Amino acid sequence: TKRPDIVENQVVSHAEALRYVLSDLAPEHSLSVATGYLNIGGLQLLASTAQAGRSTRLLLGAAPHPGLDAVLPALRFAEQLDMLRGERDFARFPPSRAAAVLQAVDAFLTRPDVEVCRYTSQFLHGKAYLLGDAQDSRAALISSANLTSAGLSSNLELGLFIYEPKTAERALMWFDELWASSAPYTEDLRALLFPSPPPVTPEDVYLRALLELYGAELFDVEPVPVPGES
């Protein structure tokens, strides 16, 4: 019934707050998101809430390991991509319910008003969900929550929605500066999540034919008695 201010995933979740504010502001006001990590659940939230016509920029960061064993941001980014591959492979396995989610994410990433970049120049730890632009700022959610299912819904996070134009403008200027020094990543992310089917080899065809002919027998085998059991 009113715009959220404090979001912590207990009384008000980040997902609920973002849905409310995005529905409350016209699509002409763009969305800019900076996050260290993301997963398919986070992308699904953007796909379901960032209406067509709302220009959306997604800036992916890189986070080091906790403590002093930090490695180069580019290497940590590669680790994050490996995690996304695992989610993708599980979601694509039929009859997974996630198929519709993947289709929605794919449609979202192919929209002409959606851009993805990655920033690996240095450690990016800030997470921000910003509405508007530096000339017409509308809202800024500054938070500890990454663009992940857990970060937006279940982790114990803390975020503050700010609607004061000058403060939101400064956050957007911070984002714009990082965005200007980042590399385009939209097509790379799509290629990661939706790769072309691998080529079918003669061995694949042969094994598939055997499975069709004799597959039932694989599950109709008498159990082998264990020595010593009566």
Side-chain angles (χ1 to χ4, degrees), residues 1-30:
T1 58
K2 65 177 183 178
R3 288 184 172 181
D5 44 22
I6 298 293
V7 289
E8 72 301 282
N9 294 346
Q10 293 178 302
V11 177
V12 179
S13 73
H14 286 69
E16 292 169 331
L18 285 168
R19 287 193 187 98
Y20 184 93
V21 174
L22 285 169
S23 66
D24 195 40
L25 292 174
E28 65 193 57
H29 301 296
S30 61

Side-chain angles (χ1 to χ4, degrees), residues 76-98:
R76 285 292 292 149
F77 192 83
E79 292 180 14
Q80 178 66 15
L81 296 188
D82 288 337
M83 293 172 60
L84 276 172
R85 289 189 187 96
E87 285 194 64
R88 174 210 65 203
D89 293 342
F90 179 78
R92 287 168 65 93
F93 190 81
S96 172
R97 298 178 183 177

